Amino acid sequence: MRTAKPRRASRVSWLEWPASRARWLKWLVFGLAALPLCCARGVSHADEVDGRWSGRFSLLGNYYWETSTRVVAPELAVQLTSPNGTDLSVNYLVDTITSASQAAGTTVDVSFNETRHDITLGVGRELALGDNALQWRTGAHFSREPDYTSISGNVGGSLFLNERSTTLHFTLGYLHDEVRQNFRGPPPPSNPGTILGQFDENFDALTLSFGWDQVLRRWLIAEFGYDFVYLNGFLANAYRRVMVAGAAVGEQHPGTRIRHTLTGRLKAHVAATRTTFQLRYRAYLDSWDIGAINPEGRIYQQLSRNLELRLRYRYYKQTQSFFYEDDDEAYAPNAQYFTNDPKMSAFRSHEVGLQLRLDFGFLEGTALDVLHEGRLDLSFNYLWRTNVFGDAVTAQVGLSVPF
Amino acid sequence: MNLAHLVIARSRLALVRLPLALLLAFAACVGGCAHVPPYQREQLTAPGMESETEAEEERFRSHVYDAREGAAGGHGSTGGGCGCN
C-alpha cells in the first residue's frame, strides 16, 4: 500500500539546518573531542608513582512501571583512572520495555516487547593551568532499538579556580536520531505519506551547556546551570495518530524546537546531625510555548556509620504547547500542526522517593574485605501525574565497588 | 514565533525566573564568593555533597523524565528511544 508523502512540518528561519552545516558541526564536536588526548602535560597523579590503575565498578538494576508500560533495565558501569590521570568510563544499559497501545500510540489495542541497547563512553584528563586546573572531557553515546537509533557526541570541560572554590563547566554536544516504524499487530489505517515498513525520518540536535559551582561556606555549595538545545527534523511520534477531519493521521509537529533550561541547586551539610539538605530548582521554556517549573527538595540523613537514609520530593508543572488541543477532534481540516502527545499537554506531577545506602565498611578484615569500600543502594520512587500516563513507580538497586 | 507567542513566552519566563533569582540572591547573601581554604572543606566531602555519586543513579530517572515530560534538559541526559524529542 502506497500513500502520499507527508509534508515536513518545519519553520523556515535563519536557524534552518542545511546538511553542510550539520556535517561541519559534527566534525567540530568530534575534533574538539580529540583535544584531551593530544594535550601534553597533565596534573600530577598519585598513581603515577606505582603505575596502578584505579576505578569503580557498578551494577544497577532499574525498574519502571506505569499503567500501560513496564521497563526493566540492568546497567553496568566502569570508571577507570590511568596512572597518568586519564579518566575513562563506559556504561552499558539494556532495557526491555513492555507496553500497551496507549503508550505506543497505535489505534489497535496490542502489547509488545522491545529491547534497547545503550552504550556511553567517556574520556577525560585534567591539565595544570598555573594555580588553577582545567579538566577536558569528551563522550559518545549510542542507543539502538528496532525502530529508533540515536548517536551523539560531546566535548566539554571544567575550569577549577580559586583553589577549587569556583568551578566553571561548559559542554558542546551534537546528536543525530533516526526514527523508524516497527508495526505492532495489524498495520494502522492510512498513514499519509509512508510506504508501510519504509518509514525513515531523522532529526539533529545541538546542545550547549554552561555551569557554575561555588563553595560559599565550609558547609554550603551553590550550583547554577543553563542548557540550550536546538532540534531540527522529525520531532513527532512515528506511531501516534490524531483525528483530523474524521480521519486518523500521523502527528504533525513543528520541524524545529529551541529549548532553554535554567537550573539551580543549594547543598548544605550539618555536621552536628550528619544531615545533608539539597534544594533544587529547574525552569524551562521552549519555542513550542511549553514552560515548566520543577522544584525538588532532598534530605540525606546518616543513620549509623554505614547506613544512610535519603528522602526526596519533586514537583513538576508544565504548560501546554501552542498546537495542543484537549480534544484531538477539535483540529480544523487545514490545521498546520496537530498532536496527540500527552507530553504536549498541561499537567503536573508529584514524586516522593526513598533510598537506603549501605556502605560495606563493616566487611573490613573479613573474608569479603575486597568489598569493604563498596556500597549497596536501594531506592523506591512513586509518581502521581495528572495526565493520561497516570501514576508511576521507579525502583532501583545498585552495587558499586571501587578498586 | 509570532508576537503573541513571544509575549506569552516572556511572561512565562518572568514567572520561572523569579524563584531562580531568589535562589541566586540567597546564595549571594549567605556567603558571596568567600574563599574557603581546602583544609576547611571536610564537610563538603560528605557523600550527599558530591554530585558525582548521584549522577549514576539519576541517569535512568532522567531518561524517564525525558520520555514523559515536555521539558527536557538540565540534568545531563541525552536522546535515545522513547521519542525524547
Side-chain angles (χ1 to χ4, degrees):
Chain A
M1 185 172 74
R2 187 186 179 115
T3 50
K5 179 83 180 163
R7 66 200 147 82
R8 168 66 60 76
S10 62
R11 296 179 183 184
V12 176
S13 79
W14 68 274
L15 279 169
E16 197 63 36
W17 197 283
S20 60
R21 189 180 300 169
R23 277 197 299 274
W24 185 84
L25 278 165
K26 278 182 210 173
W27 284 112
L28 175 70
V29 170
F30 291 114
L32 286 171
L35 268 178
L37 304 175
C38 303
C39 293
R41 197 168 77 86
V43 170
S44 297
H45 198 265
D47 289 341
E48 265 181 324
V49 179
D50 57 12
R52 243 172 22 102
W53 287 70
S54 57
R56 177 173 285 275
F57 173 84
S58 304
L59 273 174
L60 283 95
N62 304 295
Y63 177 75
Y64 175 78
W65 170 91
E66 66 183 26
T67 306
S68 59
T69 304
R70 310 215 187 339
V71 180
V72 177
E75 189 175 353
L76 166 70
V78 179
Q79 293 175 323
L80 285 170
T81 301
S82 76
N84 71 358
T86 300
D87 296 313
L88 305 167
S89 65
V90 58
N91 182 286
Y92 174 68
L93 175 146
V94 53
D95 71 22
T96 302
I97 179 170
T98 305
S99 189
S101 57
Q102 187 183 27
T106 59
T107 53
V108 186
D109 189 18
V110 293
S111 291
F112 67 93
N113 285 290
E114 220 167 58
T115 301
R116 181 173 73 94
H117 298 271
D118 180 304
I119 187 161
T120 306
L121 302 169
V123 182
R125 185 166 164 80
E126 195 169 304
L127 312 168
L129 287 179
D131 292 338
N132 303 312
L134 175 68
Q135 185 187 52
W136 274 98
R137 293 182 305 273
T138 184
H141 172 252
F142 180 76
S143 167
R144 183 173 173 86
E145 56 202 292
D147 55 358
Y148 204 102
T149 302
S150 174
I151 183 166
S152 64
N154 64 75
V155 60
S158 298
L159 181 62
F160 303 104
L161 305 169
N162 197 20
E163 291 187 305
R164 295 180 187 256
S165 289
T166 303
T167 307
L168 303 175
H169 308 279
F170 64 94
T171 305
L172 170 67
Y174 182 83
L175 175 144
H176 177 77
D177 280 13
E178 293 175 3
V179 187
R180 298 176 293 276
Q181 281 180 338
N182 183 24
F183 290 113
R184 299 144 181 168
S190 68
N191 183 16
T194 63
I195 303 169
L196 287 180
Q198 294 184 24
F199 182 93
D200 189 7
E201 292 281 359
N202 60 75
F203 74 86
D204 298 276
L206 175 72
T207 63
L208 282 169
S209 302
F210 302 97
W212 169 32
D213 301 348
Q214 182 65 49
V215 174
L216 300 175
R217 287 278 192 264
R218 60 178 73 179
W219 49 270
L220 181 66
I221 300 175
E223 298 175 358
F224 307 99
Y226 168 72
D227 278 12
F228 169 87
V229 182
Y230 173 73
L231 300 114
N232 185 75
F234 179 78
L235 301 178
N237 183 290
Y239 299 100
R240 208 174 277 118
R241 328 292 297 169
V242 189
M243 294 299 292
V244 179
V249 297
E251 285 183 331
Q252 285 285 4
H253 287 186
T256 61
R257 189 174 189 181
I258 296 173
R259 301 174 180 270
H260 303 275
T261 309
L262 284 168
T263 56
R265 172 154 62 166
L266 281 175
K267 299 187 288 189
H269 184 73
V270 181
T273 58
R274 294 185 298 180
T275 310
T276 300
F277 297 93
Q278 287 195 16
L279 182 62
R280 304 177 178 204
Y281 195 85
R282 187 166 68 110
Y284 171 91
L285 195 68
D286 70 25
S287 60
W288 292 0
D289 279 0
I290 292 180
I293 54 167
N294 175 202
E296 180 173 340
R298 298 186 180 199
I299 299 175
Y300 299 167
Q301 179 61 54
Q302 195 79 36
L303 299 176
S304 70
R305 186 179 168 196
N306 296 311
L307 188 63
E308 186 179 67
L309 173 68
R310 298 184 162 194
L311 302 171
R312 59 187 282 267
Y313 168 75
R314 179 182 189 266
Y315 176 72
Y316 176 85
K317 182 180 183 180
Q318 75 169 57
T319 58
Q320 70 179 44
S321 70
F322 71 87
F323 53 92
Y324 180 83
E325 296 284 353
D326 286 325
D327 176 6
D328 70 348
E329 296 191 23
Y331 286 106
N334 62 346
Q336 188 179 9
Y337 306 120
F338 30 88
T339 185
N340 202 14
D341 186 351
K343 287 191 295 184
M344 299 293 113
S345 67
F347 72 95
R348 61 185 183 278
S349 69
H350 302 268
E351 183 179 13
V352 293
L354 181 152
Q355 179 179 351
L356 277 174
R357 169 165 290 188
L358 177 67
D359 289 322
F360 292 153
F362 59 88
L363 293 177
E364 190 168 10
T366 69
L368 295 173
D369 183 77
V370 67
L371 299 175
H372 82 271
E373 287 186 274
R375 65 170 189 264
L376 177 74
D377 285 289
L378 299 167
S379 74
F380 179 86
N381 303 274
Y382 196 91
L383 184 65
W384 290 268
R385 281 188 297 231
T386 61
N387 65 4
V388 297
F389 288 132
D391 296 354
V393 167
T394 309
Q396 292 174 289
V397 56
L399 173 69
S400 182
V401 180
F403 54 88
Chain B
M1 184 183 292
N2 62 33
L3 184 62
H5 289 144
L6 195 65
V7 170
I8 292 168
R10 287 199 173 167
S11 60
R12 284 177 184 164
L13 184 61
L15 284 174
V16 297
R17 191 164 56 186
L18 180 64
L20 212 64
L22 291 174
L23 197 67
L24 274 168
F26 171 76
C29 292
V30 167
C33 291
H35 178 62
V36 179
Y39 58 84
Q40 290 185 345
R41 295 183 197 168
E42 185 186 347
Q43 293 181 56
L44 301 181
T45 61
M49 300 291 279
E50 293 176 339
S51 300
E52 284 179 12
T53 63
E54 298 174 322
E56 225 164 61
E57 68 207 41
E58 288 183 0
R59 190 198 312 263
F60 180 75
R61 284 207 301 266
S62 298
H63 186 71
V64 169
Y65 297 143
D66 284 355
R68 289 292 183 256
E69 295 175 350
H75 39 51
S77 62
T78 57
C82 305
C84 306
N85 50 2

